[in-house]
Structure formats: C-alpha cells, structure tokens
Amino acid sequence: MIATLTDSRLVRGEPSEPSDVCDYISPTRLNTWLQCPLKFKLHYIDRLKEPTSPSLFLGKRVHDGLAFFYRHLQNGDHLSADDVSRHIVASWDEAVAADEMEFASCDDEATLKRQAIELIEAYLDMRNDNEGLPRAVQCPLESPLVDPDTGDQLGLTLFGFVDLILETPTGFAIVDFKTASRSSAPLEISHEVQLSCYAYAFRHVFGLAEQEVQIRSLIKTKTPKVETHRYSARSDVHFRRLFAVIRAYLNDLQANRFAYRPSWTCAMCNYRETECLQWLG
Ligand code: SF4
C-alpha cells in the first residue's frame, strides 16, 4: 500500500530541537562526521553556532522556492516562474532575520536575491511536465534502523530529509536538489551515503523500492543551468555499506572519540582558526 502525506512516518518540518545526537541519525550528520569527526562534535554536540554563508543562504532560498512550487503542484495548482519569484521576494526578509544573515552590502544582497530567482527560472524552464506527480515535498521520512544483514535493531531513528518524491508511470523517483557553483561529473559515490539514507527511509514509509534516485543540480553560472544525474535503485551493497558507516559513527559516539580530519574542506570550516587549533586529541 502506498503511503500518503498523512502517514505518521512522513514528518513535516525538522525534528524538534533540542535533540540529542543519540536520538536520530540523518544523512547530514553522517556526512559531517565522515568529513571531519571534530567538526561534527563542535557543531552537533558542543552546539557552536556557525554563521550562515551567502552560498548556504542562497541554497536554502532556492530549496524553499522549489518546495513552494511543488507543494502547489501537489494541490493541482501549476505556478509560473513569476509566482515563485514573488514568493522568494516576499519571504526574503523573514528568512534573512531567521538566519541572522549579514550581507557585506545592499548590492551583495540584491545580487544573491536575483541569483535565487534566476536559478528558479532556469529550473522551471527546463522542467518537464511529464516528470511525474509530486508525492512528497521537502519532507523528512522517518524509519527505525534495522541492520539488513543481522536484523539487529540499532535503537535509533533515521530521518531522511527528502526534497521531492515523484510518482511516474514506471515507479517512484527520489529527487535531491543541490545548488553548485560549477558543473561536476556525476560521481555517484560522492552522494552515496545521502542517497542510501533516503532510499532506506523511503522503503520503510512507502513499502516498496524506489525506481531511481536523482540529483538535480542548479548551477550558479552567469547563465544559470540545471543538470540532472540519475542513479539506479539502491542495492543490498549500498545498504551494507551504509550500515558499516552507521556502526562506525555510533562507535565514535559511544567512545566520545572525535579526531580532527584535515582535508581540502578545511578551507570552508568555520572552526579552522579557533576551536580546531585548540584541539589536542
Ligand atoms: S578545520 Fe578541518 S580539521 Fe579542523 S575542524 Fe574544521 S574540517 Fe575539521
């Protein structure tokens, strides 16, 4: 039986805060831990607030605009790009205040707002009306974690915060939106943990396997463009690898062991010149 938006495991909005790291696992948490365990600890355990970067803020506004479009489409209301642009403009100031955004200048803010609108316009321009019907929009799918190999209940929940689930004549597609500064090769492994989490939670809630998973990238080039990368349904191998990661993550949590992991991503880390320098192991 197909789940609907009223299903209790389809939860609207973020899990309520404050939330202990032992309460649930999410793809974002797993990926942050994989990137750098120390950064994970500073953000999720020590709760050291990080400022929202313009790039992150832009991504959030674009996601909000796409969710606005698809939620209306769910109700049979086909909005135009102008409708969505008006929503972005109308909700902008409230979002700036909520994220405590500080722009270097009014021009910078206006440029970012225009970029969000142009990305949405490019997306809606390339969107195919036959892509399928939206069944869930920006919605966390909740699932208990049960190791597929051993049947062990891990005793905590997975929240896969999925941007869009489309029902097509041949099955369900799980879609994740990204904003990126340039085109990139469709490297499946770089999205593997996130997509495996989504598929795992989707199967629990919807009671069937997805037909495919997609990454739709909105590229912030001078003339914005959109690239869709499609990947096949997740296999047993994907889920075995996911649970190996989850077990390693839980081991670190239980041992309170969060080593730093220097890499190229340090350039974008807010803790680089402060807490990270103080870390002594
Ligand atoms: S600067 Fe690098 S090593 Fe240090 S916390 Fe950030 S990501 Fe980790």
Side-chain angles (χ1 to χ4, degrees):
M1 180 174 153
I2 304 301
T4 70
L5 280 175
T6 56
D7 190 299
S8 62
R9 292 162 296 177
L10 270 168
V11 186
R12 282 210 178 274
E14 290 278 10
S16 55
E17 295 286 347
S19 184
D20 191 270
V21 284
C22 297
D23 285 352
Y24 73 92
I25 287 181
S26 71
T28 309
R29 289 182 175 194
L30 280 179
N31 275 327
T32 305
W33 172 79
L34 282 167
Q35 179 194 337
C36 175
L38 177 61
K39 182 176 181 179
F40 168 87
K41 175 183 180 290
L42 295 169
H43 185 91
Y44 289 106
I45 297 177
D46 299 345
R47 292 177 174 269
L48 298 179
K49 195 166 162 37
E50 293 180 82
T52 305
S53 67
S55 172
L56 179 58
F57 187 72
L58 174 71
K60 288 169 82 172
R61 293 301 88 223
V62 169
H63 273 73
D64 180 67
L66 294 171
F68 183 74
F69 172 81
Y70 277 109
R71 286 206 176 111
H72 278 80
L73 197 58
Q74 268 187 305
N75 297 324
D77 194 3
H78 196 303
L79 299 183
S80 66
D82 281 351
D83 293 327
V84 183
S85 299
R86 276 192 288 276
H87 166 75
I88 287 176
V89 171
S91 58
W92 186 269
D93 288 348
E94 195 179 327
V96 167
D99 278 5
E100 298 176 16
M101 279 298 297
E102 288 183 11
F103 296 97
S105 69
C106 292
D107 278 355
D108 281 5
E109 181 175 1
T111 301
L112 209 67
K113 195 187 295 183
R114 192 168 57 248
Q115 205 172 19
I117 290 169
E118 287 174 356
L119 284 167
I120 294 282
E121 286 172 348
Y123 178 82
L124 295 181
D125 197 37
M126 82 84 204
R127 184 187 156 271
N128 185 337
D129 277 342
N130 298 321
E131 65 180 357
L133 296 170
R135 290 299 181 212
V137 179
Q138 217 173 70
C139 200
L141 304 177
E142 179 186 350
S143 167
L145 282 164
V146 183
D147 190 312
D149 260 358
T150 62
D152 289 352
Q153 301 250 7
L154 300 195
L156 74 176
T157 300
L158 172 71
F159 276 100
F161 201 97
V162 176
D163 287 334
L164 177 66
I165 293 174
L166 292 170
E167 183 177 5
T168 74
T170 52
F172 284 80
I174 302 173
V175 179
D176 188 63
F177 295 118
K178 301 213 177 290
T179 49
S181 37
R182 57 181 175 274
S183 302
S184 62
L187 267 184
E188 183 171 352
I189 195 167
S190 58
H191 308 297
E192 184 177 317
V193 167
Q194 182 184 26
L195 297 179
S196 297
C197 285
Y198 291 164
Y200 185 86
F202 170 84
R203 292 178 187 202
H204 175 76
V205 173
F206 281 70
L208 76 175
E210 71 286 353
Q211 194 217 1
E212 65 171 2
V213 287
Q214 297 181 16
I215 300 283
R216 296 186 182 183
S217 298
L218 285 72
I219 316 287
K220 300 179 278 184
T221 35
K222 196 169 177 195
T223 302
K225 58 182 179 176
V226 179
E227 293 176 348
T228 298
H229 302 305
R230 315 177 100 98
Y231 308 105
S232 57
R234 301 297 84 184
S235 67
D236 288 349
V237 170
H238 291 117
F239 293 124
R240 289 180 71 160
R241 285 155 65 100
L242 174 64
F243 272 78
V245 168
I246 290 172
R247 286 194 181 280
Y249 164 86
L250 293 176
N251 285 344
D252 262 14
L253 241 59
Q254 277 154 12
N256 196 25
R257 177 184 55 217
F258 301 101
Y260 85 150
R261 192 171 293 161
S263 72
W264 65 272
T265 63
C266 295
M268 296 170 289
C269 179
N270 290 306
Y271 308 119
R272 186 182 65 247
E273 303 295 340
T274 50
E275 289 80 7
C276 183
L277 289 181
Q278 293 158 14
W279 183 73
L280 297 173

